[in-house]
Structure formats: C-alpha cells, structure tokens
Amino acid sequence: MRTLGLTLSAALLAPAVAGAQSPWLPPEGELSINPSYRFETYDEYFFGSGAEDLPFDVDRHVILATVEYGILENLAVDFTSGYVDTKSSQVDDDDGLADTTIGLRYRVLDEFKHDFPDWVPTLTVRLGGVIEGTYERFTIEAPGKGSSGVDGSLLIGKVLGDSGFRVFADTGYRVYANEASDEFFVGVGVARTFFDAIDLSVTYRHLESLSGPAVDDITFPRERYPERRESADTVEIGLGFETLEGRYFAVSVGKTVAGESTADMLMFGFSAFLPF
C-alpha cells in the first residue's frame, strides 16, 4: 500500500508543473492540498523556429496551490490557483493572480480493479476550465494567454507490475474566449520508484496553437500576443520522496527544447502532496 500511495501522489506531481493532471484519482473522501513554487527564467525567445537573444532578461516566480477531493470512487474535482510575479528590465514588475483552473475527472478504467490488471491501464477523462489571471496580458513576458476558456482531455496511466516503473500520458484541446488562439496539448512521461520511497520521473510535453500569426521579431504588436500561433516542447525531470506519514515532496527542473513564438525557458520547481 505504501508503494501504491507513492504512485498516486507522485503521479499527481510529476506532470503538474508541466500543466497536466494525473490519471490516478484520490480515494473517495480524501482531500489533498498540493502547494508548489516554480522559478522561470529566460533571455531568449523563439522568433519563428529559432531561439534569438532578447535585449532583456525575464525572471518569474509562480506560487500555486492545488486542492483535490475524491467525490466518489471514480470521480474527483481539482482546483488550482495562485500568484505570479514577473520581473524584467523591459517593463515594470508585473504581478497578480495566475490563471485559475478547475476540473472534474471521471475514471473510466481502473487498472487495480480490473480482471486483467497486467494489461489494462487506468483511463480517465477530464472536463475543465481556465479563468484568466490579473497579470498584464499584452507583453512578451506574460505568463499565460490572459483569457478564460474550457478544455477536455484524456489521461492514461499504467503501473508496470512490481518493476517500480509507471508510464502516464495525456492529450486534450483547449478553447479560449476572446481573440486568444485555441490549442492542442499532449504529454508523455515515465517514472521509477526506488526503495518504496524515492521517485524519479521524466516528462515531455508539447503545446500547439491552431491559429494566429507567428511572432517574427520583438516589434510584434503587443495587442496581438494572446492570439499568436505558439508551439512549445518542454522536458522536465522530477525527484521526489515520500515520508512514512504519506506526505510527498518533490523538486524538478525543466527546459524548453524547441518552439515557435514562445520563450526559451529554464524552470526550477518545488512541490508537496499533503493528504487529509
């Protein structure tokens, strides 16, 4: 059970910094609070398909809290909100509420309760929404689209027997209000548990806007940033540890490895899983 508990908590956190939820749900009646901190920095931007130096550096601090609750055995709700502070020499400090997300997840298949547990994965669908934050949206430094929207996604995960390995993936589509471009996203990851307490994960994520103009250079009109055609590929490595009390703590480092109309970003994160 300790290994299963680690799998559930670590699976929640491993893709979390990259913007996804876990296919594994919290137990019915369990409430968890998942605080996280992320530091993002960049001095290059993908104009077109190649990264070019910016005439300024950007540093960002993101503090988030995710609350999850198991409503029923196969149904859970998640809510994420927080604060973001962006600093650069280009503009005055920009701080405010980060984008807030809320969603319902329904587990279609449960690998731990199926007649063929060696072959069947956990399969979950999620319907959610995004509420725009209060940061300045019309800048190259903006931490998000600055628009509200709705999304749907499919999440899949599999614990590979007693090997200590598990794999997880998700894919979905998000529709934004106003002029912000809609986007498709997909992510895949693999994790390995050591000594029933230490967890190492690697996650790859791709985001692709489906419309809008590309950002060709620094003179791109400010008012058109939310509608830009953006793509980003990121890789993240996470290392976590579970205590005897069932609490889980993780650190992570991530990097944008390719993209278009997006920042060439380096990310450092810390997160915790606190079940009640």
Side-chain angles (χ1 to χ4, degrees):
M1 291 300 294
R2 178 169 163 78
T3 301
L4 177 57
L6 179 63
T7 295
L8 298 178
S9 56
L12 169 67
L13 292 173
V17 176
Q21 294 291 334
S22 168
W24 294 283
L25 303 185
E28 181 179 353
E30 180 178 282
L31 174 73
S32 69
I33 300 175
N34 317 122
S36 66
Y37 166 77
R38 188 168 70 248
F39 174 71
E40 304 171 349
T41 183
Y42 60 94
D43 58 9
E44 294 186 337
Y45 196 88
F46 287 99
F47 295 108
S49 58
E52 300 179 19
D53 290 337
L54 290 171
F56 51 87
D57 299 340
V58 178
D59 294 331
R60 180 178 299 125
H61 304 273
V62 184
I63 301 172
L64 298 174
T66 296
V67 178
E68 288 204 328
Y69 182 72
I71 302 173
L72 299 172
E73 181 181 4
N74 293 312
L75 183 68
V77 61
D78 58 82
F79 174 86
T80 301
S81 189
Y83 169 82
V84 58
D85 181 24
T86 304
K87 303 179 184 296
S88 80
S89 58
Q90 174 76 359
V91 297
D92 295 334
D93 288 355
D94 178 26
D95 63 339
L97 292 177
D99 290 343
T100 295
T101 65
I102 186 169
L104 277 175
R105 281 176 292 158
Y106 178 75
R107 181 167 50 202
V108 179
L109 286 175
D110 186 345
E111 64 190 294
F112 304 111
K113 295 185 177 181
H114 200 277
D115 293 337
F116 303 98
D118 292 338
W119 303 101
V120 173
T122 293
L123 185 66
T124 300
V125 294
R126 181 180 185 273
L127 295 177
V130 179
I131 302 173
E132 64 183 272
T134 59
Y135 51 83
E136 172 58 52
R137 60 192 300 229
F138 297 125
T139 71
I140 197 173
E141 302 93 347
K145 291 288 186 69
S147 295
S148 300
V150 295
D151 58 63
S153 57
L154 179 67
L155 307 100
I156 187 169
K158 180 65 181 172
V159 177
L160 303 180
D162 297 326
S163 67
F165 281 95
R166 68 183 180 278
V167 293
F168 46 88
D170 71 282
T171 184
Y173 188 86
R174 183 173 293 115
V175 178
Y176 283 104
N178 303 324
E179 73 279 6
S181 56
D182 300 340
E183 57 192 23
F184 162 81
F185 54 89
V186 62
V188 295
V190 60
R192 173 74 157 88
T193 301
F194 300 91
F195 312 114
D196 289 340
I198 299 173
D199 197 73
L200 179 66
S201 64
V202 179
T203 306
Y204 162 81
R205 296 200 62 79
H206 175 77
L207 179 145
E208 183 84 27
S209 298
L210 302 180
S211 63
V215 178
D216 297 324
D217 55 44
I218 196 69
T219 64
F220 186 81
R222 287 166 51 91
E223 66 275 5
R224 303 201 69 184
Y225 267 105
E227 61 180 291
R228 69 189 184 278
R229 185 178 73 248
E230 177 185 12
S231 68
D233 296 278
T234 59
V235 174
E236 182 181 3
I237 299 174
L239 180 65
F241 175 78
E242 185 189 31
T243 69
L244 292 174
E245 295 78 17
R247 297 178 178 87
Y248 184 83
F249 302 92
V251 293
S252 62
V253 59
K255 180 72 170 64
T256 306
V257 295
E260 178 184 19
S261 304
T262 196
D264 185 4
M265 188 179 300
L266 181 63
M267 299 166 283
F268 302 93
F270 171 79
S271 52
F273 174 86
L274 308 174
F276 297 93

